[in-house]
Amino acid sequence: MSRPRKRLAGTSGSGNGCDAQRLFAIPGGVLKNRNPLVTDKGLSGKRTKTENSGEALAEVEDSNPQKTSATKNCVKNLSSHWLMKSEPESRLEKGVDVKFSIEDLKAQPKQTTCWDGVRNYQARNFLRAMKLGEEAFFYHSNCKEPGIAGLMKIVKEAYPDHTQFEKSNPHYDPSSKEDNPKWSMVDVQFVRMMKRFIPLAELKSYHQAHKATGGPLKNMTLFSRQRLSIQPLTQEEFDFVLSLEEKEPS
DNA sequence: GCCAACGTTGGC
DNA sequence: GCCAACGTTGGC
């Protein structure tokens, strides 16, 4: 049951029931630990059950589990930029179309949506590390042309993903209890389209080249952890991807 | 549609 | 706690 990619609850494009209050719920105390230990361990390339299953982490939470579980062990300064995957083409999952493209995001009220359906502990921990105002690339996956389509920003920090409790939802998780939710989501708002679509293939060719030259994309998570649906980018990675907008497609 | 990569589950 | 079997992700 790993479902790292965003799925809209119910029909895509329609209101999803979590837009109403979010823009006005501005959490205080924004400047806390920025990075989870999992992040650090994760990036080191180790892979163990404990690290990936986040269950241990879930136990180590303080009074604000949705936001702080991942930040218990702070490393430092790893990331305030993100990449989030979503499928822009129709695909049925338990009879529900999980399509959600950047155009769909633009069409939402306030161009904002809750990023529900993430069912992978590592991805969830990254969601919980996200801070208000941070920027994320909207990545189109599992489609004709995978790649980075645009930019969005975090407008509400992690809170419980209501779809985990909805039996009819494709991402229903019977093992999660209302008084101790397992899964989190954030709200994101459309910022802009990329000036041009940045295809995965192009990113990959830079990644390959940079592995040899030590360039900015040499360790990009998109390639080192190909299945992770929510991933951090370093400042250098983020800036480099943005710089590609100005270049000719390669 | 294929299948490599890789996360999760559960028996032991 | 190990690890084989299984299921999913997602590029191609």
Side-chain angles (χ1 to χ4, degrees), chain A residues 1 3 5-11 16 93-98 114 116-119 161-174 183 185:
Chain A
M1 127 128 45
R3 261 280 147 331
R5 292 171 296 174
K6 175 191 168 37
R7 264 77 161 164
L8 264 201
T11 57
N16 48 34
E93 195 173 311
K94 298 186 183 168
V96 177
D97 192 350
V98 296
C114 54
D116 65 315
V118 171
R119 298 292 182 270
D161 178 345
H162 55 85
T163 66
Q164 68 196 298
F165 305 119
E166 298 167 1
K167 285 196 173 153
S168 62
N169 191 281
H171 308 120
Y172 173 61
D173 182 355
W183 305 111
M185 62 187 181

Side-chain angles (χ1 to χ4, degrees), chain A residues 54-177:
Chain A
E55 285 294 35
L57 280 154
E59 314 297 338
V60 192
E61 289 164 357
D62 66 16
S63 59
N64 203 344
Q66 291 296 322
K67 284 200 215 155
T68 54
S69 72
T71 63
K72 252 325 202 205
N73 298 291
C74 166
V75 179
K76 152 178 188 170
N77 228 20
L78 256 180
S79 128
S80 49
H81 298 89
W82 309 96
L83 180 147
M84 303 167 79
K85 298 180 183 176
S86 185
E87 301 187 32
E89 295 173 5
S90 286
R91 187 174 66 80
L92 292 185
E93 195 173 311
K94 298 186 183 168
V96 177
D97 192 350
V98 296
K99 159 179 153 42
F100 191 79
S101 70
I102 196 163
E103 297 298 334
D104 295 322
L105 175 61
K106 277 174 79 173
Q108 295 292 313
K110 297 179 179 166
Q111 301 188 317
T112 297
T113 194
C114 54
W115 204 267
D116 65 315
V118 171
R119 298 292 182 270
N120 168 282
Y121 287 111
Q122 198 174 19
R124 178 202 70 179
N125 291 340
F126 285 131
L127 283 176
R128 291 180 177 181
M130 291 175 171
K131 296 297 176 193
L132 211 59
E134 289 178 347
E135 291 188 301
F137 287 125
F138 193 119
Y139 178 89
H140 281 174
S141 72
N142 202 17
C143 57
K144 262 283 171 38
E145 200 178 20
I148 294 173
L151 256 186
M152 51 195 177
K153 67 180 176 189
I154 309 307
V155 294
K156 182 175 177 179
E157 295 177 10
Y159 62 106
D161 178 345
H162 55 85
T163 66
Q164 68 196 298
F165 305 119
E166 298 167 1
K167 285 196 173 153
S168 62
N169 191 281
H171 308 120
Y172 173 61
D173 182 355
S175 74
S176 183
K177 301 299 168 213

Side-chain angles (χ1 to χ4, degrees), chain A residues 137-238:
Chain A
F137 287 125
F138 193 119
Y139 178 89
H140 281 174
S141 72
N142 202 17
C143 57
K144 262 283 171 38
E145 200 178 20
I148 294 173
L151 256 186
M152 51 195 177
K153 67 180 176 189
I154 309 307
V155 294
K156 182 175 177 179
E157 295 177 10
Y159 62 106
D161 178 345
H162 55 85
T163 66
Q164 68 196 298
F165 305 119
E166 298 167 1
K167 285 196 173 153
S168 62
N169 191 281
H171 308 120
Y172 173 61
D173 182 355
S175 74
S176 183
K177 301 299 168 213
E178 299 258 6
D179 59 1
N180 188 19
K182 245 184 211 181
W183 305 111
S184 300
M185 62 187 181
V186 297
D187 289 354
V188 294
Q189 183 173 41
F190 177 81
V191 172
R192 65 174 178 84
M193 300 296 290
M194 299 302 282
K195 295 175 193 167
R196 68 178 178 90
F197 183 84
I198 311 292
L200 174 64
E202 181 174 344
L203 294 170
K204 185 180 281 180
S205 71
Y206 281 111
H207 170 63
Q208 293 297 347
H210 289 182
K211 280 196 290 186
T213 62
L217 298 195
K218 63 177 185 298
N219 293 322
M220 197 179 188
T221 306
L222 193 55
F223 305 104
S224 56
R225 302 247 157 115
Q226 59 182 231
R227 289 174 49 178
L228 191 58
S229 69
I230 305 288
Q231 19 186 289
L233 279 81
T234 64
Q235 182 74 54
E236 291 69 31
E237 289 164 347
F238 185 81

